[in-house]
Structures are given as C-alpha cells and as structure tokens.
C-alpha cells in the first residue's frame, strides 16, 4: 500500500533547457517565466531541485508523487513544430526522475498526434494530462478523441488540469489561479458529462482542484440539467489548494470514493492533515485506495 500524491510539478533540466532556448512565450529567462496572458513569474530554483523534492516527498510519507507538465504555460497549444521539442524534453526529463516520482504524459492539442502520445506512454507514464480548455465543449472532445481512445484502449486514466489563462496580465497576480483556472475546471467537469462520457464510457478521469467546485452544483444540475444526480464511479477529483471545508462539501456531493490527494507542489503545499480533518478512514481513501482505483481501475 502506497501513499500517492497525484498532482505535482517538477521541471527537469531538459525541460528548463528547452524553455530557455525559446525567445517568445512560453519561455524562461534564467528562472523568470514568461507566458501569454500572465505576468512574469520568478520560479525559485529550489522548487525544481530533484534531490530536495525527493526529500520533501519522503517527509510527506509518499510512495508515489506524480508530476505533470504545467499546462498553464501553454506548450500543448503550440503548433506541432514548436510543441514537439518541449514535449520531448518534458518526457525525457520526467522519465528519468528517481523514486518516488512518476509522471503523467503530455500531448499537443492543437495538432493531435496519437502515435507520439502512444510512444510516450510506452515509456511508463501513468496516464495522460490534458488542459481543461481543450476539453470544454463538444468540439474539444471531437478533436481530442484519438487521445482519449488511446487511453481507453490501454486502460489508463486522464488528468484534466487548467490550461493557459486568457488576459490574466490585466488583473492582480492571483487572478489567473482564482478566475480562469477555476472557470476552466468548472466547464470541463460538465463538458465531460455532456460530451466526454457518452463517447468514452470506460475512461477514468481525474479533475484537478476539485473540478473548480463544479460538483457542488449537483443540486442545480438535478433541477436544470438532465435530472441525474448519481456520481460517476470512474470520475475523481483531487484536492490541490483546498482545505477541509471545500473537501468535506465535495465528499458530501460525490462520496468519499471520488476524492484523491493532490498538492500542486511547488505552487501549493500538501495539507497538514492528509484526511483534510475528516479522519483516518478519509486519509486512507484519499491517499491510497482511491488513487489505486484511479490509476489501475482495481480496488
């Protein structure tokens, strides 16, 4: 039995080098990140030191910490010729990370290449992360269908993470995380129900940041949607950035079996109480039992 954190970010040397080689966003100048739609962001180098992060994972008692490409930087949305060097660098660096790290694969969503994604998954990635704004409507699911078909064929899960923020430079520094990211996750939650699940009946999926609290709109959906209020047993949400009040509310809406532990480290810290104040049984479900079902489909 292994404690799992399904949501961390760790920029390996190959990815850092690839981002520094670019002269327009997304790019790195030293450790300053430049993106379209967000103000420049200074990354603390220690946050992406592999040895230090492995020590933090050990302190947290993790047997597996899953890293993913930071979808808000927009690599997945670049034209294939620009995206491929960055995706290759991400996969190269992530595949070489030591224990306890594992990783989600990444894929371009502007120019779909299912073969390249299959090749990446062949290297042992646990599943595929896609940006939420690529899965926000019927057109997005039609475009990404070859990637989702691949996951179903291989019995691997999908991780939905916020993508690039639009026009985030006009607000305070916290604006992208609090408005566009949350809106994207809210839209992706209901888009999966409307367009994703009918097309992909066996797909397991995990939504970052409690799906932007979209599950709390279940009563409104029952009244104004299709009338169904039963949770989908193959759908999970992870807890990054939220505490006991939000997590307990989502547990009430979806049940304890739908929640998995995610921290979003280094951008947020893991909770001091792994069960988010709901007790040891919840901690076991969030960190062990539920991640096992998400990743393997097995109890």
């Amino acid at each position: 039995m292994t404690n799992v954190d399904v949501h961390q970010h760790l920029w390996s040397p190959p990815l850092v080098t690839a981002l520094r080689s670019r002269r327009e966003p997304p790019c790195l100048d030293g450790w300053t990140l430049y993106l379209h739609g967000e103000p420049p962001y200074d990354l603390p180098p220690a946050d992406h030191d592999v040895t230090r992060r492995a020590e933090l994972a050990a302190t947290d008692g993790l047997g597996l910490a899953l890293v993913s490409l930071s979808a808000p930087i927009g690599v997945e949305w670049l034209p294939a010729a620009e995206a491929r060097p960055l995706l290759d660098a991400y996969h190269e660096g992530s595949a070489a990370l030591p224990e306890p790290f594992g990783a989600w694969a990444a894929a371009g969503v502007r120019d779909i290449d299912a073969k390249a994604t299959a090749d990446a998954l062949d290297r042992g990635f646990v599943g595929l992360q896609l940006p939420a704004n690529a899965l926000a409507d019927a057109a997005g699911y039609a475009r990404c269908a070859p990637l989702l078909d691949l996951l179903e064929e291989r019995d691997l899960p999908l991780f939905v993470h916020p993508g690039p923020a639009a026009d985030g430079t006009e607000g305070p520094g916290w604006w992208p995380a609090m408005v566009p990211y949350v809106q994207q996750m809210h839209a992706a939650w209901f888009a999966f129900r409307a367009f994703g699940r009918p097309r992909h009946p066996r797909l397991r999926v995990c939504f970052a940041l409690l799906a932007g609290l979209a599950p709390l709109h279940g009563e409104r959906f029952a009244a104004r949607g299709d009338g169904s209020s039963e949770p989908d047993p193959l759908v999970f949400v992870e807890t990054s950035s939220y505490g006991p009040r939000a997590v307990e509310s989502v547990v009430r809406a979806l049940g304890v079996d739908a929640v998995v532990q995610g921290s979003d480290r280094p951008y947020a810290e893991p909770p001091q109480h792994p069960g988010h104040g709901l007790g040891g049984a919840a901690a076991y479900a969030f960190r062990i039992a539920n991640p096992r079902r998400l990743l393997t489909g097995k109890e």
Side-chain angles (χ1 to χ4, degrees), residues 91-263:
H91 289 130
E92 175 190 349
S94 297
L97 290 174
E99 294 182 351
F101 296 108
W104 299 92
V109 295
R110 175 169 170 172
D111 300 307
I112 302 294
D113 187 341
K115 183 181 184 307
T117 302
D119 291 343
L121 292 171
D122 286 341
R123 303 179 68 175
F125 289 85
V126 300
L128 176 66
Q129 176 191 271
L130 291 177
N133 58 350
L135 298 170
D137 52 26
Y141 273 97
R143 184 175 61 252
C144 293
L147 303 176
L148 304 183
D149 288 342
L150 176 64
L151 292 176
E152 280 192 298
E153 291 167 5
R154 298 192 175 204
D155 195 28
L156 295 176
L158 168 70
F159 182 39
V160 182
H161 187 288
D167 302 323
T169 55
E170 298 181 4
W174 49 260
W175 185 267
M178 291 305 301
V179 182
Y181 293 0
V182 174
Q183 290 172 336
Q184 287 183 36
M185 297 309 302
H186 183 110
W189 173 265
F190 287 105
F192 179 77
R193 185 160 191 160
F195 312 114
R197 177 55 78 213
R199 176 66 176 75
H200 304 281
R202 302 184 310 278
L203 183 65
R204 297 190 304 280
V205 57
C206 180
F207 291 86
L209 53 112
L210 296 179
L213 300 185
L216 301 189
H217 293 270
E219 293 169 322
R220 179 172 174 82
F221 185 80
R224 302 292 293 272
D226 62 14
S228 173
S229 59
E230 290 298 316
D232 185 328
L234 301 182
V235 169
F236 301 79
V237 295
E238 62 87 15
T239 59
S240 61
S241 307
Y242 286 99
R245 285 181 295 181
V247 172
E248 181 178 2
S249 296
V250 170
V251 167
R252 288 178 179 273
L254 298 179
V256 72
D257 292 341
V259 179
V260 297
Q261 180 66 49
S263 68

Side-chain angles (χ1 to χ4, degrees), residues 8-141:
Q8 295 197 9
H9 302 284
L10 176 54
W11 291 17
S12 65
L15 179 59
V16 169
T17 298
L19 286 167
R20 285 176 176 164
S21 72
R22 292 177 54 83
R23 293 297 175 263
E24 61 182 42
C27 61
L28 275 174
D29 182 359
W31 284 99
T32 301
L33 178 65
Y34 292 89
L35 304 178
H36 290 297
E38 296 197 32
Y41 180 75
D42 292 327
L43 289 88
D47 284 351
H48 300 282
D49 180 272
V50 175
T51 300
R52 175 179 178 272
R53 290 289 301 278
E55 292 171 351
L56 289 174
T59 299
D60 292 337
L62 294 176
L64 180 62
L66 297 179
V67 302
S68 64
L69 183 62
S70 297
I73 71 179
V75 169
E76 296 94 334
W77 283 104
L78 292 172
E82 295 185 55
R84 180 50 47 198
L86 295 170
L87 292 171
D88 289 346
Y90 165 72
H91 289 130
E92 175 190 349
S94 297
L97 290 174
E99 294 182 351
F101 296 108
W104 299 92
V109 295
R110 175 169 170 172
D111 300 307
I112 302 294
D113 187 341
K115 183 181 184 307
T117 302
D119 291 343
L121 292 171
D122 286 341
R123 303 179 68 175
F125 289 85
V126 300
L128 176 66
Q129 176 191 271
L130 291 177
N133 58 350
L135 298 170
D137 52 26
Y141 273 97

